[in-house]
């Protein structure tokens, strides 16, 4: 209904412009979204997947004009649906939501692991535009898992099929010693976030982590995606969707 | 605007709604959180997230999971507590002219009556008693499943609260009718049904012959519970003389009509708010359009036709 359309904000019947396989197990979907230019690295949008109850949240990988890119791995029914979309299809998107990275004018070490490379790659593009010195390192399972669209400075694979062999975590201390960053930004599996945060504490470095959690509402209402954080000496709940998804690595209570 | 005229008005046993579309507790926050999507003041009423005497931090383990036709939640009534609600949220509700019902949760009769007294002292016009949260360990589920305990609880609250009192019923009982009758006898002005169904999901992972499981138990909601809810509304409507508010899996105008046909005087939209955050307002518009396009005078006339 027209009257409703004029009232709604942050709900978009957007258009898919492209879906492409970018590695052995991940895809890139590009969407024309009216709110694209507002989106900051680390923020997310949420996609309605036909027939499913919960929307699927994705942090944004790229933004050019009205087009945003989302990198995803097919993991279940939601991502299967998104993968099935074709150029020109309608897509129901809400967002952007959450707090993205708080970009600092500091020498930056950017760390991505697996599909967690997506928001970090977006952050890197912003830092590059700002001419802020940065180093982007990324860990993957193997060579075939590396998305063909992501430009990383240093790559690590578990099986050694590309870059250095082993987890990115194994090399982190050495990278910090050599590169001497003033701030770390990281996204990836929980273990990567946790271990990086521990290391940042040892090196007394500022760190921002992009967290992930199953969400229902995406706007801080349902309290489904809360984590423990330390604030003013107390441990309190924070919602990943609204208070995050980016948190200071120092305030997160690591499980 | 067309829908803002009075064709959708509902007189819910003295509690006036501009339309029968409400939002269910726990799915809509406390105030205007959905203002990014719709004009919340255009809804019949919102029911706040459950509020307890003291703030609650809620459950620690996994809180939500998707299921085949809905979701399971185990939030554990995380909330800001009644004082913070009065201080921070009520002024917003007032300034935005949002019609609201406060959902109250306690674990003892004393807690409920204290909450109700506070609501009464603060001129809160309507309250819904959550007597059936499946996700908290003590007390509250017992009130919802035993008609004598429910009668005692609702009577105690009624004694101290002069506002419009709704009792939200659980489907996790043998006879929801007995609970509805007890609530009415104790002085409730309406009943709402249904709260979530108790359910579990076991996620099984197998890696190299090693099985790992994650079990989440909580309240099942969403489209899958609609037939259970419709059945409950039909049975309740036959035995109580107070309005029944229908809740459970509503996603479309047809769902709303189905609940009205079953006997509901108003409905609450729950889980679908997560899927389509503009759904409640959309249903208001669609209902108004349906009434005018089919030549009914107003909602009251449509109700009569649907229940013939």
């Amino acid at each position: 209904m027209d009257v409703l359309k004029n009232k709604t904000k942050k709900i978009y019947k957007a258009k898919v412009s492209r879906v492409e396989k970018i590695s052995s197990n991940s895809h890139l979907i590009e969407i024309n979204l009216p709110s694209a230019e507002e989106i900051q690295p680390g923020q997310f949008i949420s996609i309605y997947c036909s027939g499913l109850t919960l929307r699927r949240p994705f942090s944004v990988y790229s933004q050019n004009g009205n087009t945003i890119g989302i990198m995803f791995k097919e993991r279940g029914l939601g991502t299967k649906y998104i993968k099935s979309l074709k150029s020109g299809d309608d897509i129901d998107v809400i967002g952007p939501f959450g707090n993205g990275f708080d970009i600092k004018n500091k020498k930056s070490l950017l760390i991505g692991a697996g599909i967690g490379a997506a928001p970090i790659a977006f952050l890197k593009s912003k830092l590059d535009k700002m001419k802020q010195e940065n180093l982007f390192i990324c860990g993957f399972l193997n060579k075939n898992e590396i998305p063909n669209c992501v430009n990383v400075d240093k790559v690590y694979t578990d099986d050694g099929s590309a870059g250095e062999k082993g987890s990115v975590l194994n090399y982190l201390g050495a990278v910090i010693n050599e590169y001497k960053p003033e701030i770390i930004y990281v996204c990836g599996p929980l273990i990567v976030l946790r271990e990086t945060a521990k290391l940042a504490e040892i090196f007394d470095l500022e760190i921002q982590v992009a967290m992930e959690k199953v969400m229902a509402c995406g706007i801080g209402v349902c309290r489904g995606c809360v984590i423990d954080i330390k604030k003013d000496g107390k441990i309190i709940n924070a919602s990943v969707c609204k208070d995050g998804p980016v948190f200071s690595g120092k305030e997160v209570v690591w499980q | 605007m067309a829908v803002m005229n009075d064709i959708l008005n509902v007189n819910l046993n003295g509690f006036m709604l501009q339309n029968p579309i409400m939002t269910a507790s726990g799915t809509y926050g406390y105030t205007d959180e959905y203002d990014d999507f719709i004009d919340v003041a255009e809804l019949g009423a919102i029911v706040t997230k459950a509020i307890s005497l003291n703030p609650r931090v809620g459950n620690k383990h996994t809180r939500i999971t998707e299921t085949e036709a809905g979701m399971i939640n185990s939030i554990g009534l995380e909330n800001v507590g009644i004082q913070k609600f009065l201080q921070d949220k009520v002024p917003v509700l007032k300034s935005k002219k949002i019609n609201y019902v406060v959902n109250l949760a306690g674990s003892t009769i004393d807690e409920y009556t204290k909450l109700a007294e506070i609501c009464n002292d603060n001129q809160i016009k309507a309250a819904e008693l959550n007597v059936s949260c499946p996700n908290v360990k003590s007390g509250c589920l017992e009130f919802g499943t035993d008609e004598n305990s429910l009668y005692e609880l609702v009577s105690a609250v009624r004694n101290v609260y002069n506002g419009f009192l709704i009792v939200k019923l659980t489907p996790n009982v043998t006879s929801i009718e007995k609970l509805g009758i007890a609530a009415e006898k104790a002085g409730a002005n309406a009943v709402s049904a249904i709260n979530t169904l108790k359910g579990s999901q076991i996620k099984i992972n197998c890696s190299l012959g090693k099985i790992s499981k994650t079990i989440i138990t909580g309240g099942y909601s969403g489209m899958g519970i609609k037939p259970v809810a419709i059945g409950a509304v039909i049975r309740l409507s036959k035995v109580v003389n107070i309005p029944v508010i229908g809740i459970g899996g509503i996603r479309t105008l047809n769902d709303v009509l189905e609940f009205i046909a079953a006997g509901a005087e108003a409905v609450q939209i729950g889980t679908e708010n997560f899927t389509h955050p503009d759904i409640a307002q959309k249903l208001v518009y669609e209902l108004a359009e349906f009434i005018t396009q089919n030549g009914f005078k107003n909602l009251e006339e449509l109700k009569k036709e649907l229940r013939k």
Side-chain angles (χ1 to χ4, degrees):
Chain A
M1 238 169 286
D2 283 348
V3 63
L4 196 59
K5 245 181 248 160
N6 297 334
K7 280 178 166 296
T8 55
K9 295 175 277 179
K10 290 198 173 181
I11 304 182
Y12 306 102
K13 297 279 176 259
K15 285 269 184 217
V16 175
S17 61
R18 189 160 73 108
V19 184
E20 197 176 285
K21 192 166 178 173
I22 51 169
S23 81
S24 61
N25 62 2
S26 62
H27 285 75
L28 172 71
I29 180 168
E30 287 188 340
I31 301 165
N32 290 323
L33 193 69
S35 64
E37 290 187 25
E38 299 167 23
I39 297 175
Q40 294 303 314
Q43 283 193 301
F44 68 95
I45 51 105
S46 202
I47 297 175
Y48 170 65
C49 303
S50 189
L52 300 180
T53 297
L54 300 184
R55 283 175 177 266
R56 301 301 195 257
F58 296 93
S59 60
V60 174
Y61 154 69
S62 63
Q63 177 261 320
N64 275 305
N66 275 335
T67 304
I68 59 163
I70 303 292
M71 267 167 54
F72 64 96
K73 269 186 187 176
E74 188 181 334
R75 279 184 181 158
L77 295 173
T79 40
K80 189 178 176 184
Y81 164 80
I82 296 167
K83 198 180 102 180
S84 76
L85 294 170
K86 303 272 178 299
S87 172
D89 283 351
D90 288 330
I91 184 166
D92 175 342
V93 177
I94 59 175
F97 299 127
N99 293 309
F101 293 104
D102 181 11
I103 297 177
K104 298 285 175 67
N105 200 11
K106 289 179 176 176
K107 189 177 179 185
S108 308
L109 176 60
L110 312 179
I111 304 162
I115 205 76
I120 301 293
F122 187 18
L123 175 64
K124 181 181 169 59
S125 72
K126 288 266 172 181
L127 292 174
D128 286 348
K129 267 181 212 154
M130 294 163 60
K131 304 216 185 314
Q132 176 59 58
E133 189 183 356
N134 67 79
L135 180 74
F136 182 14
I137 64 172
C138 223
F140 295 99
L141 292 175
N142 54 55
K143 190 183 176 191
N144 296 334
E145 201 203 20
I146 304 173
N148 58 23
C149 51
V150 177
N151 290 316
V152 288
D153 298 316
K154 268 186 186 172
V155 76
Y156 306 87
T157 53
D158 286 6
D159 66 356
S161 53
E164 305 253 21
K165 184 176 177 175
S167 163
V168 62
L169 290 173
N170 301 347
Y171 296 88
L172 211 46
V175 171
I176 293 171
N177 268 326
E178 194 187 320
Y179 184 65
K180 298 190 171 41
E182 296 166 296
I183 185 168
I184 295 176
Y185 304 92
V186 57
C187 184
L190 191 65
I191 180 169
V192 173
L193 305 184
R194 187 183 64 208
E195 296 307 311
T196 307
K198 277 185 193 165
L199 218 53
E201 201 171 338
I202 293 168
F203 283 90
D204 195 23
L205 283 171
E206 190 176 346
I207 176 168
Q208 294 180 21
V209 297
M211 304 290 290
E212 190 184 20
K213 201 101 197 219
V214 174
M215 294 174 185
C217 70
I219 56 169
V221 162
C222 74
R223 311 304 292 168
C225 66
V226 300
I227 58 166
D228 287 346
I229 65 163
K230 286 167 274 191
K231 206 164 194 182
D232 307 325
K234 280 191 292 191
I235 292 175
I236 59 163
N237 287 339
S239 61
V240 171
C241 68
K242 197 177 177 194
D243 302 315
V246 177
F247 294 91
S248 156
K250 286 179 182 145
E251 66 183 4
V252 174
V253 179
W254 299 101
Q255 305 297 327
Chain B
M1 203 180 313
V3 301
M4 299 311 285
N5 70 26
D6 54 9
I7 64 164
L8 294 181
N9 284 3
V10 179
N11 179 348
L12 208 60
N13 200 5
F15 182 52
M16 305 304 289
L17 305 176
Q18 58 184 339
N19 63 65
I21 309 295
M22 304 166 70
T23 54
S25 180
T27 67
Y28 230 66
Y30 301 99
T31 57
D32 61 341
E33 286 93 332
Y34 277 75
D35 252 8
D36 265 350
F37 308 107
I38 67 164
D39 186 352
V40 179
E42 287 194 3
L43 303 180
I46 68 156
V47 182
T48 69
K49 181 157 183 42
I51 293 166
S52 49
L53 208 49
N54 297 308
R56 288 180 57 106
V57 293
N59 291 334
K60 278 286 167 230
H61 50 73
T62 303
R63 289 180 167 193
I64 46 172
T65 188
E66 190 175 61
T67 61
E68 284 74 9
M71 63 181 284
I72 292 174
N73 88 78
S74 177
I75 308 296
L77 298 181
E78 176 182 347
N79 78 93
V80 298
I82 187 77
Q83 292 307 340
K84 201 167 166 56
F85 172 75
L86 292 169
Q87 219 173 71
D88 299 350
K89 314 290 182 184
V90 170
V92 180
L93 290 161
K94 278 189 178 157
S95 74
K96 298 214 165 179
K97 295 191 167 57
I98 295 168
N99 198 22
Y100 65 98
V101 177
V102 177
N103 184 284
L104 302 177
S107 46
T108 61
I109 290 188
D110 195 42
E111 268 180 47
Y112 278 102
T113 49
K114 275 190 185 136
L115 276 165
E117 272 177 59
I118 295 169
C119 288
N120 203 58
D121 294 346
N122 287 278
Q123 287 88 45
I124 303 279
K125 278 195 299 186
E128 181 181 68
L129 294 187
N130 179 350
V131 293
S132 52
C133 177
N135 300 324
V136 287
K137 280 199 180 105
S138 63
C140 110
L141 190 60
E142 286 163 35
F143 292 119
T145 55
D146 176 74
E147 67 255 39
N148 296 323
S149 312
L150 185 69
Y151 178 83
E152 207 184 324
L153 172 72
V154 177
S155 303
V157 169
R158 180 76 289 173
N159 273 337
V160 296
Y161 183 61
N162 299 319
F164 188 74
L165 183 61
I166 305 167
V167 176
K168 185 168 183 176
L169 301 174
T170 174
N172 304 317
V173 291
T174 312
S175 161
I176 200 167
E177 296 95 311
K178 283 185 183 165
L179 281 307
I181 292 167
E184 181 178 9
K185 271 192 188 154
N189 302 106
V191 288
S192 53
I194 55 176
N195 205 327
T196 55
L197 288 153
K198 193 158 186 163
S200 297
Q201 184 188 61
I202 308 175
K203 276 197 175 147
I204 297 171
N205 268 308
C206 187
S207 171
L208 305 168
K210 208 176 164 197
I211 287 181
S212 62
K213 292 187 294 187
T214 319
I215 303 176
I216 173 167
T217 293
Y220 173 43
S221 66
M223 62 180 113
I225 74 165
K226 200 188 82 182
V228 181
I230 294 284
V233 171
I234 291 174
R235 296 199 305 280
L236 280 166
S237 301
K238 283 184 183 150
V239 297
V240 298
N241 298 304
I242 51 177
V244 177
I245 302 166
I247 321 167
I250 296 173
R251 297 182 301 146
T252 65
L253 174 66
N254 198 63
D255 295 338
V256 174
L257 299 179
E258 208 179 326
F259 271 91
I260 294 172
E265 299 299 323
V267 295
Q268 293 179 13
I269 318 302
T271 302
E272 187 66 9
N273 292 315
F274 300 150
T275 321
H276 291 107
D278 58 341
I279 186 65
Q281 190 173 38
K282 209 166 153 188
L283 290 173
V284 174
Y285 283 85
E286 287 181 3
L287 182 59
E289 199 172 62
F290 181 85
I291 287 170
T292 46
Q293 280 184 357
N294 287 283
F296 298 113
K297 209 166 71 199
N298 52 29
L299 177 65
E300 282 311 306
E301 193 177 88
L302 172 65
K303 275 183 187 169
K304 279 181 202 135
E305 292 300 317
L306 282 170
R307 291 173 191 168
K308 264 182 187 166

